[in-house]
Amino acid sequence: MISNSEFNRRIKAVSKARDKRISLIESRLKDLTGLRLAKKHKYQYLCNENYDETPIKRSGKETIVVFPTDLIENDLRTDDQFEVWTFILGRIGTANVLEKGIEFESKELSDKAQAQLEAIQKEVLRLDDGDFGISDILGVFSYTEHMIKLYAQVIAYHSILHSVEAEDLAFVVLAHELAHAYTIAGYDINGYRGEILQNYHSRERNVIEGLAQYYTEAVCFQLKKYHQFKHVFEALLKNQTHPYTWHKDWLKRSGVDHEHIRSTLLNYRRFINSEAFERSVL
């Protein structure tokens, strides 16, 4: 049994993790990718093909999403947050990210409660398809909103399922979404952001998620002082689907080679050639 006070503590831990660890993650991603999220004016004269120079928001209240669930609670006749989110995630569906799904409950909701559920579903699954059609369930790098979001209740719920601290799981989710931001929208030393922002319908989901997972793992594994991040990443990975596990097949013959992956990433950003990417990493 999980008390609401414990569930709420885990929700608050998501904000704490973001504020406490974001600079640590970003410093690693800058080194690993050679990219930056901030526009460097001294480089801009070298490249004028950035298309959209809106900065990526990754702090502030709106980046931590806490969904209202009161109408759903009324229909379910319970305020038990773990039970409520078991119902919500069962109805939303998580099979595109996590192998072990949550049981679907066919209970009928009132129109207002159904509308509340559909609003959560639209946000979590990115049903407007403006964000490459990619849904990470626990958080998102929103291309259309120029923002990283963490879904606090979803992270709290899955931290309980995986028997890990919510703050540690939030770190892994934040690293994954930041890795999306850097690889998709980061500036290289020429001030160039690549073609994915402009031609996002041409992107390959396997590549986009594979890169995010590769760099999330690299960040978690490099931070040996914080061994819990590696543990949480691996615990989550055990229940994830392809393409979230695809990076494990990369460079098996030669081993980890961050410079090779960085070069392959830069080529993909310029040409969006998934076949060339696959030949390079496998």
Coordinates of all heavy atoms in Angstrom, one line a residue, residues 28 79 132 166 169 177 182 224 232 239 248:
R28 N 27.8 17.2 -18.9 CA 28.2 16.0 -19.6 C 27.7 15.9 -21.0 O 28.5 15.5 -21.9 CB 27.6 14.8 -18.8 CG 28.1 14.6 -17.4 CD 29.5 14.1 -17.4 NE 30.1 14.1 -16.1 CZ 31.2 13.4 -15.7 NH1 31.8 12.7 -16.6 NH2 31.7 13.5 -14.5
D79 N -9.6 8.5 -3.8 CA -8.5 9.5 -3.9 C -7.1 8.9 -3.8 O -6.1 9.6 -3.7 CB -8.7 10.7 -2.9 CG -8.5 10.2 -1.5 OD1 -8.4 9.0 -1.2 OD2 -8.4 11.1 -0.6
F132 N 7.2 15.0 -33.6 CA 7.8 13.9 -34.3 C 6.9 12.6 -34.0 O 7.4 11.5 -34.4 CB 9.2 13.6 -33.8 CG 10.1 14.8 -33.8 CD1 10.4 15.4 -32.6 CD2 10.6 15.4 -34.9 CE1 11.2 16.5 -32.5 CE2 11.4 16.5 -34.9 CZ 11.7 17.1 -33.7
A166 N 12.1 8.3 -6.6 CA 11.6 9.2 -7.6 C 12.6 10.2 -8.1 O 12.7 10.5 -9.3 CB 10.3 9.9 -7.1
L169 N 14.9 8.4 -10.6 CA 14.2 8.2 -11.8 C 14.0 9.5 -12.6 O 14.2 9.5 -13.8 CB 12.9 7.5 -11.6 CG 12.1 7.2 -12.9 CD1 12.8 6.3 -13.8 CD2 10.7 6.5 -12.5
E177 N 15.5 13.4 -21.9 CA 14.8 14.4 -22.6 C 15.9 15.5 -23.0 O 15.8 16.1 -24.1 CB 13.7 15.0 -21.8 CG 12.6 14.0 -21.4 CD 12.1 13.2 -22.5 OE1 12.2 13.6 -23.7 OE2 11.6 12.1 -22.3
Y182 N 19.6 18.2 -27.1 CA 20.9 18.4 -27.6 C 21.1 17.8 -29.0 O 21.6 18.5 -29.9 CB 22.0 17.8 -26.7 CG 22.4 18.8 -25.6 CD1 21.6 18.9 -24.4 CD2 23.5 19.6 -25.7 CE1 22.0 19.8 -23.4 CE2 23.9 20.5 -24.7 CZ 23.1 20.6 -23.5 OH 23.5 21.4 -22.6
K224 N 30.1 8.1 -11.6 CA 30.4 6.9 -10.7 C 30.1 7.3 -9.3 O 29.8 6.4 -8.5 CB 31.8 6.4 -10.9 CG 32.0 5.8 -12.3 CD 33.4 5.3 -12.5 CE 33.6 4.7 -13.9 NZ 35.0 4.2 -14.1
V232 N 19.2 2.8 -11.7 CA 17.9 3.2 -12.2 C 17.8 3.1 -13.7 O 16.8 2.6 -14.2 CB 17.5 4.6 -11.7 CG1 16.2 5.0 -12.3 CG2 17.4 4.6 -10.2
N239 N 12.7 -3.1 -18.8 CA 11.2 -3.2 -19.2 C 10.9 -2.3 -20.4 O 9.7 -2.1 -20.7 CB 10.4 -2.7 -18.0 CG 8.9 -2.9 -18.2 OD1 8.5 -3.9 -18.7 ND2 8.1 -2.0 -17.7
K248 N 22.1 -0.7 -27.4 CA 22.9 -1.8 -26.8 C 23.6 -2.6 -27.9 O 24.5 -3.3 -27.6 CB 22.0 -2.7 -25.9 CG 21.7 -2.0 -24.5 CD 23.0 -1.8 -23.7 CE 22.7 -1.5 -22.3 NZ 24.0 -1.3 -21.5

